[in-house]
Amino acid sequence: MRKLAFVVVLFLCALSAFAQQRDFSKVEVKAQKVAGTVYMLTGSGGNIGVSVGEDGIVIVDDQFAPLAPKIKEALKGITDKPIKFVLNTHYHGDHTGGNEVFGREAPIIAQTNVRKRLASGSTALGNTTPPAPKAALPVVTFDDKVTVHLNGEDIRAIHYPNGHTDGDAVIFFTQSNVVHMGDDFFNGLYPFIDIDNGGSVKGMIAGVRKVLAAVPDDVKVIPGHGPLSDKAGLRAFVEMLEGTSAAVEKGIKEGQTVEQLKQAKVLANWDSWSSGFINLDGFVAALYRDLSRK
């Protein structure tokens, strides 16, 4: 569990001091055209979705505060229009760290639980994140869904509860046929499931299955982490979640310990999803903790 906690700290950058100490000087923020009005920005942290057009810019997530100047430069390479809205897919600092900067330029929109967790601070695996400053807080919140009408797009944010966290929003760019999954989709990687803040593997599976049923076959899919994907990539992700969770749940029902499941290499069939972020043993431990809860 200590190994899992360590990689989670790296992922969340839970303490603001940790993020401030990182060297972002060599990080490149790059823009990639997705479809229609939509681009994807990569840098350090969660992938950023961008809608551009005559009305201005809508960004989905904003990585870390020190990267804000580089994010702005990348946006200028696409358009000189101003940012009109910021959408957060969830509360984690690698997706909301730039809120304090961009929140001074445009209103931030997020699911209700995102504001609650940012305002109060949070704890994951014993690592505490302090409350966010006022400028970083969403000023418009929603419980189930909200739509932003801009650039000829109906940009729909829909709450899929208790997947990655309890405040997850999936963003649909309906006219461009693009969906931003936030961290309900790690493309090619085992995901972090924030159990301490409302996340669960079964909730993540349910949410992804609902999205798959709602989108067309030729949809472009922006993951929270990893390269741009499509419906087949999203389907492969949920099938991995279903297979790995079933394997661990079977071991739990048979009375095996988490160490026994690690030694048995119970997730060996899905080892290709292992990475420097969460490896096979780390994901076994995460699933075991989640699925053994009463």
Side-chain angles (χ1 to χ4, degrees):
M1 181 60 73
R2 272 181 279 183
K3 288 183 179 179
L4 177 62
F6 176 72
V7 296
V8 168
V9 171
L10 292 180
F11 169 65
L12 294 178
C13 291
L15 299 175
S16 60
F18 178 80
Q20 291 167 3
Q21 291 166 6
R22 290 191 61 185
D23 181 9
F24 290 100
S25 63
K26 296 180 181 179
V27 173
E28 290 186 73
V29 176
K30 298 180 179 179
Q32 176 181 357
K33 182 66 181 286
V34 179
T37 72
V38 181
Y39 290 75
M40 182 176 83
L41 302 187
T42 55
S44 179
N47 294 327
I48 299 173
V50 182
S51 172
V52 300
E54 62 180 4
D55 300 324
I57 301 172
V58 177
I59 62 171
V60 179
D61 292 340
D62 47 36
Q63 296 188 354
F64 298 106
L67 291 175
K70 294 185 178 184
I71 293 170
K72 290 180 180 181
E73 283 301 311
L75 293 174
K76 286 181 181 178
I78 303 171
T79 179
D80 59 359
K81 297 288 187 178
I83 297 173
K84 290 298 186 73
F85 294 98
V86 178
L87 292 170
N88 290 157
T89 60
H90 62 289
Y91 82 93
H92 288 150
D94 63 319
H95 294 255
T96 63
N99 274 13
E100 186 175 5
V101 176
F102 292 104
R104 295 190 176 97
E105 300 182 19
I108 302 170
I109 304 171
Q111 204 276 337
T112 303
N113 291 326
V114 175
R115 181 181 168 90
K116 288 180 180 178
R117 296 201 180 280
L118 286 175
S120 64
S122 59
T123 299
L125 291 177
N127 300 290
T128 299
T129 303
K134 182 179 178 181
L137 299 179
V139 296
V140 177
T141 60
F142 61 94
D143 290 334
D144 299 316
K145 56 188 173 182
V146 69
T147 302
V148 175
H149 304 278
L150 211 74
N151 300 327
E153 286 277 5
D154 299 323
I155 304 171
R156 294 176 181 155
I158 300 178
H159 178 43
Y160 288 86
N162 304 110
H164 180 59
T165 71
D166 61 4
D168 301 340
V170 173
I171 315 299
F172 296 83
F173 300 91
T174 54
Q175 277 70 26
S176 293
N177 194 24
V178 176
V179 59
H180 191 314
M181 292 294 300
D183 279 4
D184 280 321
F185 179 27
F186 283 60
N187 188 14
L189 310 167
Y190 287 138
F192 169 55
I193 301 169
D194 192 348
I195 299 167
D196 294 307
N197 294 284
S200 69
V201 66
K202 291 187 177 180
M204 186 176 282
I205 290 169
V208 173
R209 281 293 178 193
K210 287 179 181 178
V211 173
L212 283 169
V215 297
D217 290 341
D218 59 347
V219 69
K220 299 292 185 183
V221 184
I222 299 175
H225 296 269
L228 182 66
S229 191
D230 53 19
K231 195 170 182 178
L234 186 59
R235 186 179 295 112
F237 176 71
V238 76
E239 289 173 353
M240 177 275 294
L241 291 179
E242 291 170 337
T244 54
S245 58
V248 172
E249 195 162 34
K250 179 175 181 291
I252 292 171
K253 289 178 179 178
E254 292 172 352
Q256 296 186 62
T257 67
V258 65
E259 292 304 322
Q260 287 173 327
L261 292 179
K262 289 179 183 179
Q263 292 171 9
K265 301 295 182 184
V266 69
L267 300 188
N269 289 341
W270 300 274
D271 190 46
S272 63
W273 295 81
S274 184
S275 69
F277 165 49
I278 294 181
N279 62 20
L280 185 148
D281 284 351
F283 199 53
V284 171
L287 290 176
Y288 194 94
R289 181 181 176 223
D290 182 6
L291 295 169
S292 61
R293 290 184 292 171
K294 299 296 183 183

